[in-house]
Amino acid sequence: MEGQNDGSVEDLLISPHQFQEFVERHQTLSDEGIRFVAETNNLMKDSYVMVNPQGQFYNNTTTGRYLYSSPILEVGVNVALAQVGWNVETFLGRGGIYSWK
């Protein structure tokens, strides 16, 4: 994430090919009853909304940076979500609604 860990994570980065190899190696987890959900960075952009300790929504946007809302308790959920650009279609498209069994 641009601006978050610049200069301190480069040695940990992997290529798309390495990511795909990791996913393929771990597909057997489903045989053990473990749901394995592999998501690329592009699939996650605009499809997750997180809450920080300050009570703000934040989102991994298509710009490659986190975008933060005003405090949720001050502006309400709908306004705060609109401020971070969360995309419900992208969320649904990546299968964001899980069965929690």
Side-chain angles (χ1 to χ4, degrees):
M1 184 59 59
E2 185 180 331
Q4 295 286 317
N5 296 309
D6 294 346
S8 59
V9 298
E10 286 71 16
D11 291 342
L12 302 173
L13 299 177
I14 63 171
S15 70
H17 179 72
Q18 290 170 307
F19 176 75
Q20 189 57 41
E21 286 179 336
F22 174 86
V23 170
E24 290 170 8
R25 275 194 316 272
H26 291 84
Q27 287 300 318
T28 58
L29 291 173
S30 61
D31 296 338
E32 300 174 31
I34 299 170
R35 180 149 190 233
F36 184 77
V37 179
E39 297 173 317
T40 64
N41 287 334
N42 284 337
L43 283 175
M44 292 187 284
K45 289 179 181 175
D46 284 334
S47 70
Y48 277 89
V49 175
M50 301 160 280
V51 179
N52 68 12
Q54 293 75 32
Q56 300 167 292
F57 285 130
Y58 66 106
N59 177 18
N60 175 2
T61 67
T62 56
T63 64
R65 300 184 67 86
Y66 283 130
L67 184 61
Y68 296 86
S69 73
S70 299
I72 300 162
L73 293 178
E74 291 178 14
V75 298
V77 170
N78 291 335
V79 169
L81 280 176
Q83 290 176 344
V84 296
W86 180 62
N87 186 318
V88 70
E89 289 84 20
T90 304
F91 169 78
L92 294 171
R94 70 163 173 78
I97 297 177
Y98 301 108
S99 173
W100 296 97
K101 295 181 181 179

